[in-house]
Amino acid sequence: MALWAIFAGSSVHADMVGHGGPIRALAVSPDGEDLLSGSFDTAVIRWSLKTDTAEQVLRYHAGGVNAVAFLQDRRMITAGADARIAVWAAGRPEPDRVLEGHVAPIAALAVSPDGTLLASASWDRTVRLWSLSDGTSRVLEGHTQNVNGVAFAPDGGLVSVGYDLALRIWRLPDGQPEIVTLPAPLNAVAVAPDGEIVTGAVDGRLRMLTKDGKVSGEVAASPTPVVALTMSADGALIAAAGTGGTVAIIDRKSRNLLRTLVGPGLPVWSAVFLPDRETLMTGGADGRIRRWNARTGDPIGSGLIGTPADPLAAYAGDHGADVFRACVACHTLSDKEVQRAGPTLAGLYGRRIASLPGYRFSDALKTMDIVWTPETVARLFEIGPNAYTPGTKMPEQRIGSAEDRRALTEFLGRATSR
């Protein structure tokens, strides 16, 4: 049975669980039947919204997936930390096309109203416009820091926001921008059907601007940074997700905060409305996708609210497990668990580096002559991953104490051989 299958065929919705890391992006298909989710675990899942089950798992990216989108013909687009954009057809295991040009993580995607163009926002401080017919691109420059959000206006214009406080309204096709400087770094942007622009900032506030860039309203949405924005199809409701674990529901016309959705207290990284204009899907740091009735504030389905189970609970009091705790966000100890951002450590000792089937390793690791043993793992953390395994995706970390390294390698010998 697939680990991500949940109550297949049930009429009662439940939380969707399938990712092994924070869910950074959500998108709904034009017909409202499918949901696409992208995660820090490098995977993308296409879900059936009728059964809450995974229909397809897409694995291509070499880093976390930060942005996803559907096209009108049900093709899917994914992008992330590896600076690549992949275009997929439903049911196919590999991308039909890969778009390359950015040189830093891609943070957001947007599809033009006529479906002919794709816009991508990147931490390389640029926005790119891609032709979806032939893959050619055009670079829009001017931001001086990370570009975090991008959205098309109903008239085909483009809006981008960045950490440089700047909101840029690009008048296409000439590409000349109007620049608005706002009081705080910007993480997200959405555009209403009437052209009003809504931004989300690190100060927890939403700011509304006219289509010409004049500030027309402001709402305090969260005491923590707003990291994701979505708007109902009619533009009536805004959902603003924050790192504090709450989602603010705002009436756009009146600028009133209608209610705050409270989950398990972990950051909410993504949100999207379904076509019914009141059901909201949210993706959080616990790897769960939840449904909410945005108008009443009630959770739909299991309503399980609590902290995730501790994967190391069985090893309480084990010093090696305490050292390993910094690794559980990316690695499982068993191949029976859902894969996280890094490969499972099950059967680690005696395995050659970058040889585990089903995981996309960097080309640099595939050329190395390393076999994992207590000694090689100890060396990895003595001098650090960047020095021992150059080209790794693993975050840089060292364990300075020889005693701690020995406790870790002994623990891994016990925990990964089961």
Side-chain angles (χ1 to χ4, degrees), residues 51 226 256:
T51 62
V226 172
N256 287 330

Side-chain angles (χ1 to χ4, degrees), residues 57-379:
V57 179
L58 309 177
R59 292 195 181 277
Y60 167 77
H61 293 283
V65 179
N66 298 327
V68 296
F70 273 104
L71 299 179
Q72 288 294 330
D73 59 7
R74 295 184 60 80
R75 284 184 296 162
M76 300 163 286
I77 304 179
T78 63
D82 61 1
R84 296 172 180 169
I85 300 170
V87 183
W88 308 75
R92 294 187 183 177
E94 297 292 334
D96 288 348
R97 172 180 285 168
V98 175
L99 306 176
E100 296 184 273
H102 285 297
V103 295
I106 296 168
L109 296 172
V111 179
S112 64
D114 62 7
T116 64
L117 295 174
L118 175 73
S120 54
S122 172
W123 288 2
D124 64 10
R125 306 182 179 186
T126 71
V127 174
R128 280 185 177 255
L129 279 178
W130 307 84
S131 167
L132 288 171
S133 61
D134 61 16
T136 57
S137 70
R138 172 186 179 189
V139 182
L140 303 180
E141 297 178 298
H143 281 283
T144 59
Q145 293 192 47
N146 295 353
V147 188
N148 295 322
V150 66
F152 277 98
D155 63 4
L158 188 69
V159 181
S160 62
V161 298
Y163 219 69
D164 56 1
L165 314 182
L167 178 146
R168 288 177 169 253
I169 303 173
W170 305 89
R171 303 302 181 188
L172 304 178
D174 64 351
Q176 295 303 311
E178 297 175 24
I179 305 169
V180 181
T181 301
L182 293 173
L186 303 171
N187 285 327
V189 64
V191 181
D194 61 9
E196 184 173 63
I197 301 165
V198 182
T199 67
V202 300
D203 62 0
R205 305 187 78 84
L206 304 187
R207 292 175 177 86
M208 292 76 167
L209 299 91
T210 66
K211 63 181 68 176
D212 297 321
K214 295 181 176 60
V215 176
S216 56
E218 186 174 313
V219 178
S222 170
T224 60
V226 172
V227 291
L229 278 181
T230 187
M231 199 177 298
S232 59
D234 58 3
L237 297 179
I238 303 167
T243 57
T246 61
V247 181
I249 305 298
I250 294 147
D251 182 285
R252 184 173 66 90
K253 291 295 186 181
S254 68
R255 318 299 201 205
N256 287 330
L257 175 63
L258 300 179
R259 63 193 52 83
T260 299
L261 312 181
V262 180
L266 300 171
V268 180
W269 290 107
S270 53
V272 66
F273 276 100
L274 299 192
D276 65 8
R277 304 177 182 180
E278 64 178 32
T279 303
L280 182 72
M281 312 295 294
T282 62
D286 59 358
R288 289 179 178 264
I289 301 172
R290 293 175 167 83
R291 292 179 189 246
W292 305 82
N293 184 313
R295 295 192 179 276
T296 66
D298 296 327
I300 301 173
S302 64
L304 297 176
I305 295 179
T307 57
D310 182 356
L312 297 178
Y315 302 99
D318 187 314
H319 179 52
D322 291 338
V323 178
F324 179 75
R325 189 167 293 280
C327 310
V328 296
C330 295
H331 298 283
T332 67
L333 296 168
S334 167
D335 56 10
K336 302 298 189 292
E337 297 179 66
V338 177
Q339 181 175 290
R340 297 176 186 161
T344 181
L345 302 184
L348 176 66
Y349 289 156
R351 188 167 74 211
R352 183 186 174 89
I353 189 172
S355 66
L356 183 71
Y359 185 82
R360 183 180 290 272
F361 292 93
S362 67
D363 291 339
L365 295 192
K366 295 176 184 178
T367 65
M368 294 179 184
D369 187 22
I370 296 174
V371 175
W372 293 119
T373 65
E375 292 73 26
T376 55
V377 170
R379 183 62 173 165

